[in-house]
Amino acid sequence: MHDFNYKHNNLYCESVSIEELARKYGTPLYVYSRNTLINHYRKIKEAFSLINPLICFSMKANSNLSICRTLVKEGAGLDIVSGGELYRALKTGVSSRKIVYAGVGKTEKEIEIAIRHQILFFNVESIPELRLINKVAGRLGIRQKVAVRINPDIKARTHKYITTGHGENKFGIDFETAKTIFLNSDKYEHLNISGIHVHIGSQIVDAEPFIKAIERIADFIKDLEQRGAGIRWLNIGGGLGIIYSNERPQTAREYAKAVIPVLKRAMTNVILEPGRFIIGNAGILVTRVNYLKETPGKNFAIVDAGMNDLIRPSLYGAHHEILPVRSQSYAGSKKIRTFDVVGPICESGDFLGKNRKFIDLKQGDLLSVMGAGAYGFSMSSNYNSRPRTAEVMVEGTKAKLIRRRETYEDLIKTEL
């Protein structure tokens, strides 16, 4: 569900014309629907209302301050994976007691800053990290809560780069090692080891792998409690898939109905970390056709957005629907032509979509890359010394610039 629809053959975000936004702010341009953003957060909240979890939006999906602040005002916490995301999170006004910190490579400095700000949890990924957090907490005279991230060795049906819960992945700790940690928690005198974290991957469209993982964790918690260990929190991560093209992902309600009975077995407070589900379909990338290039083997629509603006198609082979901003009705088969939609980057892997059909596509036309709200701008770069795009948030009939377009001066301002 989203709020991007055609009115009189022109694409709108809520009640604002995409064509007018492109004219005012230029292209490439990220456009977000505030209504979609809030509605998707509320869908998760309502679906899980029976167990009242802490919902921490995953900032890595999209860390724009206006987006995160909008969700924080709705009651969300934030899931972070770096010192930079902690810095951003604190700027949103979120309570530090609603911040959970994951990631395999936290530095000592990042850990110290997070402890000083009294975040709710570190999700610990290894024994060396556990020891370091214990050392830093001791130096600061603070007893820090941590959750042990367990790798449940579950294969999720998603791209290999975004599966995180299989034994071959770098994330988490195996069950036996985790058991040793919990049963010897007194070794870490400056830590309160009271939670378990599990996150098996991203863009997962069915409940089965989640259920398997949570069942294993619930059995593990029961075993630990029989041995005297107290687990107060269970963080089941994120990973809910969205519709990019022909996917049929579960709804928030279907997901909740499937996993809540298993979660109740664990008898803990629950944390969720959705990212893509909330912001993915709330954003689009608007781009303009610079050239139409015909070759004996292919037709290319060369646009002004590239892999530096949206890397998912190049990195994962991800499919995003690409729609014309100004729709044209079918008027004879000769007008339907197939194009690879490619960018200006000097890489053969620079494409936004392959073998896409358009009616009467012309130089100067605007195209909308759908479902680009998650892992779009947040993974963008300055490759080929390209300034990063502007971002706009739409609320009803109003549009607000929430990030200005970078300038050439911005590209070199930190260089000496």
Side-chain angles (χ1 to χ4, degrees):
M1 300 291 293
H2 57 72
D3 291 271
F4 297 93
N5 296 292
Y6 286 102
K7 299 178 184 179
H8 309 296
N9 294 328
N10 288 292
L11 187 64
Y12 277 68
C13 175
E14 300 189 20
S15 296
V16 177
S17 161
I18 297 299
E19 195 168 43
E20 298 219 355
L21 291 175
R23 188 179 300 120
K24 182 174 181 178
Y25 297 107
T27 56
L29 177 68
Y30 275 99
V31 179
Y32 305 101
S33 161
R34 186 177 184 274
N35 190 54
T36 304
L37 175 72
I38 290 174
N39 280 348
H40 283 183
Y41 171 76
R42 289 175 180 171
K43 284 178 191 292
I44 288 268
K45 187 174 181 178
E46 290 165 9
F48 281 89
S49 59
L50 195 64
I51 58 173
N52 192 29
L54 172 60
I55 302 172
C56 293
F57 174 67
S58 179
M59 287 187 74
K60 62 181 177 289
N62 192 315
S63 59
N64 183 285
L65 289 179
S66 293
I67 286 168
C68 294
R69 190 175 287 127
T70 297
L71 293 169
V72 166
K73 286 179 180 177
E74 283 286 310
L78 295 172
D79 161 45
I80 66 171
V81 294
S82 72
E85 286 190 354
L86 174 60
Y87 179 82
R88 283 178 170 275
L90 295 170
K91 292 290 184 183
T92 70
V94 71
S95 165
S96 60
R97 291 300 185 182
K98 287 186 173 183
I99 296 175
V100 291
Y101 194 160
V104 300
K106 307 175 191 77
T107 67
E108 185 167 350
K109 183 178 180 181
E110 289 174 326
I111 289 167
E112 179 174 335
I113 294 170
I115 293 175
R116 286 186 183 278
H117 280 98
Q118 300 183 322
I119 65 166
L120 178 61
F121 269 112
F122 287 100
N123 294 325
V124 175
E125 307 261 4
S126 67
I127 287 179
E129 181 192 336
L130 195 66
R131 290 174 182 150
L132 180 57
I133 296 172
N134 184 59
K135 184 184 86 170
V136 175
R139 187 173 73 236
L140 298 176
I142 295 172
R143 194 156 189 260
Q144 175 62 49
K145 278 197 186 81
V146 300
V148 175
R149 179 170 180 174
I150 290 179
N151 185 323
D153 199 17
I154 297 286
K155 265 194 174 176
R157 290 185 289 275
T158 188
H159 192 279
K160 63 181 180 180
Y161 285 3
I162 51 177
T163 179
T164 59
H166 189 244
E168 298 173 353
N169 300 128
K170 67 180 179 180
F171 299 98
I173 296 171
D174 64 273
F175 281 105
E176 282 305 309
T177 304
K179 183 185 291 187
T180 300
I181 291 170
F182 280 107
L183 296 182
N184 295 277
S185 59
D186 56 344
K187 287 175 55 179
Y188 306 96
E189 57 183 329
H190 306 294
L191 302 181
N192 178 2
I193 307 176
S194 54
I196 287 178
H197 177 232
V198 60
H199 177 70
I200 59 174
S202 191
Q203 186 53 19
I204 301 168
V205 296
D206 63 280
E208 182 187 354
F210 291 112
I211 293 170
K212 283 183 179 178
I214 297 169
E215 282 178 340
R216 290 187 186 181
I217 298 297
D219 290 342
F220 182 68
I221 289 173
K222 186 176 180 181
D223 180 55
L224 285 176
E225 288 179 340
Q226 290 173 348
R227 296 166 181 258
I231 310 299
R232 299 288 174 261
W233 292 86
L234 173 56
N235 183 338
I236 63 171
L240 277 177
I242 66 170
I243 297 173
Y244 283 109
S245 55
N246 297 316
E247 294 91 349
R248 291 291 178 266
Q250 61 202 324
T251 65
R253 185 173 295 177
E254 289 167 343
Y255 174 56
K257 185 178 179 181
V259 302
I260 283 176
V262 192
L263 288 170
K264 283 184 172 180
R265 284 173 44 193
M267 297 293 290
T268 60
N269 299 304
V270 174
I271 299 174
L272 305 177
E273 297 171 346
R276 188 193 312 270
F277 181 87
I278 291 174
I279 187 61
N281 281 325
I284 63 172
L285 174 61
V286 184
T287 183
R288 190 176 296 276
V289 177
N290 280 343
Y291 303 101
L292 295 179
K293 178 178 178 178
E294 299 179 15
T295 73
K298 280 271 186 184
N299 294 324
F300 297 95
I302 302 171
V303 299
D304 61 4
M307 63 186 288
N308 73 298
D309 302 304
L310 179 65
I311 200 172
R312 295 188 72 254
S314 299
L315 184 62
Y316 306 136
H319 181 101
H320 288 260
E321 189 176 11
I322 302 177
L323 300 177
V325 168
R326 181 173 289 182
S327 175
Q328 292 190 331
S329 60
Y330 175 75
S333 60
K334 289 183 179 178
K335 289 196 172 185
I336 297 180
R337 302 174 69 198
T338 301
F339 294 88
D340 282 5
V341 181
V342 301
I345 300 295
C346 289
E347 298 281 350
S348 295
D350 177 31
F351 65 92
L352 300 178
K354 293 191 173 184
N355 298 316
R356 304 304 178 86
K357 292 186 180 344
F358 297 99
I359 298 173
D360 198 25
L361 189 65
K362 299 184 298 295
Q363 186 173 332
D365 283 355
L366 292 169
L367 299 176
S368 173
V369 184
M370 307 302 289
Y375 306 100
F377 190 95
S378 66
M379 293 180 75
S380 65
S381 75
N382 293 124
Y383 186 45
N384 282 191
S385 286
R386 284 169 49 84
R388 287 183 295 175
T389 70
E391 294 178 286
V392 171
M393 176 93 82
V394 173
E395 181 179 1
T397 60
K398 298 178 181 178
K400 179 182 177 183
L401 186 68
I402 60 173
R403 179 193 287 269
R404 67 168 174 81
R405 187 176 305 280
E406 288 181 343
T407 64
Y408 290 142
E409 288 79 12
D410 289 328
L411 295 178
I412 62 170
K413 68 183 178 183
T414 58
E415 296 180 25
L416 306 177

